Amino acid sequence: MIVKALVSYDGFNYAGWQKQENALGIQQVIEEALYKITKEHVDVVASGRTDAGVHAFGQVFHFETNKNIPAIQYERALNALLPKDIRILKTEEMPDDFHARFSAVGKRYDYYCSYDIKNPFNYKYRNLLTKKLDIEAMKNASKVFLGSHDFTSFASSKIDPRKPRVKTISNIEIIEEGMDVHFIFEGTGFLRYQVRMMTGTLIAVGQHKIGVDDVQRMLDAKDKSACRYNASSCGLYLVEVKYNETN
């Protein structure tokens, strides 16, 4: 049986999604909980990795099990075992060809900044700013990223060279909400660090450190060294993984 799960987590206490030898990943915590339920060594496969400190409202993973347990019951069983900063929102049985990563057709990431630097709760969940940003300048620069492009300049140097670098971004929004600046990125998928590097670049535009032409030159360069901006992980949230209606 293939079980699809929707999970929300606070990434502050974890070294990212992926299980690791010398640090605690969210995947490891979930797999250990599943072992207690199924007594099987279950491999959990996510829609994609999130890095250390990154949060999720709507990460998706799947696992395969031979246990005769209704898929819907895994929601309650996992939440009884998982720490409170990892919550399973929904579990359901899927067709055998479902894959959390390869069946995905799109993703949405949100990024939050805040001018409220005196709020002691913000440092875990917002990129703190000391100066007001030029929102209109950032909106104008964000248009450079729309459409299908090779985003090598806005990606980690650790990405497998065989992995495609072309991604399609369908929507970018930048909204001032009280003391927060809220970024929304929607597309077919994103390379490692891509959203954080695009956000960092747009913040630099908003601070009048660079202009639209500079952003365009970075993108056109298709060179990892072309962009030196990378917004902190604490402001990033995986909001939604999109699938076709059959998934």
Side-chain angles (χ1 to χ4, degrees):
M1 177 173 64
I2 302 294
V3 178
K4 173 186 176 184
L6 180 65
V7 60
S8 178
Y9 51 81
D10 177 343
F12 182 78
N13 292 317
Y14 301 95
W17 169 267
Q18 189 177 20
K19 58 185 175 183
Q20 303 169 41
E21 290 186 6
N22 301 314
L24 183 62
I26 295 163
Q27 177 186 7
Q28 176 184 336
V29 178
I30 293 174
E31 287 183 351
E32 289 175 353
L34 279 170
Y35 179 76
K36 292 178 180 178
I37 297 168
T38 65
K39 306 304 179 185
E40 300 173 333
H41 290 287
V42 176
D43 291 322
V44 165
V45 180
S47 68
R49 304 172 185 174
T50 53
D51 291 316
V54 175
H55 315 290
F57 292 128
Q59 171 71 286
V60 174
F61 67 86
H62 80 265
F63 62 91
E64 186 172 357
T65 178
N66 294 317
K67 288 295 180 181
N68 188 25
I69 301 173
I72 195 172
Q73 291 187 11
Y74 282 97
E75 176 186 338
R76 178 178 294 181
L78 282 168
N79 282 333
L81 295 169
L82 290 170
K84 299 303 182 186
D85 54 5
I86 303 175
R87 295 288 88 189
I88 305 299
L89 306 180
K90 183 179 180 181
T91 53
E92 59 184 320
E93 184 173 357
M94 299 299 290
D96 290 343
D97 62 351
F98 175 80
H99 193 284
R101 178 183 173 191
F102 298 124
S103 299
V105 296
K107 289 184 179 180
R108 170 179 165 176
Y109 280 92
D110 286 18
Y111 194 95
Y112 286 91
C113 300
S114 180
Y115 301 117
D116 189 5
I117 61 174
K118 293 182 179 180
N119 185 335
F121 302 102
N122 269 347
Y123 80 98
K124 293 181 181 181
Y125 308 111
R126 299 285 189 271
N127 182 1
L128 300 179
L129 303 171
T130 56
K131 295 182 180 180
K132 293 285 285 186
L133 299 176
D134 185 337
I135 302 297
E136 291 307 312
M138 292 193 298
K139 287 181 178 180
N140 189 38
S142 72
K143 297 174 184 176
V144 171
F145 297 130
L146 294 174
S148 298
H149 305 284
D150 183 325
F151 281 97
T152 298
S153 298
F154 297 89
S156 167
S157 58
K158 297 180 181 179
I159 292 177
D160 188 328
R162 297 169 296 179
K163 187 173 182 178
R165 306 299 177 93
V166 175
K167 300 294 179 182
T168 301
I169 298 181
S170 58
N171 181 49
I172 299 177
E173 298 178 42
I174 305 171
I175 309 160
E176 276 195 298
E177 300 172 326
M179 296 287 280
D180 284 348
V181 179
H182 179 191
F183 297 78
I184 298 173
F185 298 89
E186 295 178 287
T188 55
F190 298 90
L191 300 169
R192 187 180 186 191
Y193 295 166
Q194 184 183 339
V195 176
R196 288 169 57 192
M197 293 184 74
M198 290 190 301
T199 302
T201 300
L202 293 175
I203 289 173
V205 171
Q207 294 170 332
H208 296 159
K209 293 179 179 178
I210 58 174
V212 177
D213 292 343
D214 297 304
V215 179
Q216 187 67 61
R217 280 193 290 270
M218 291 179 200
L219 183 65
D220 292 343
K222 302 174 186 175
D223 181 350
K224 180 62 188 72
S225 63
C227 177
R228 59 186 177 88
Y229 301 104
N230 192 354
S232 62
S233 60
C234 64
L236 184 60
Y237 297 75
L238 173 55
V239 173
E240 182 183 8
V241 184
K242 300 177 182 180
Y243 297 90
N244 290 325
E245 290 185 7
T246 55
N247 296 139

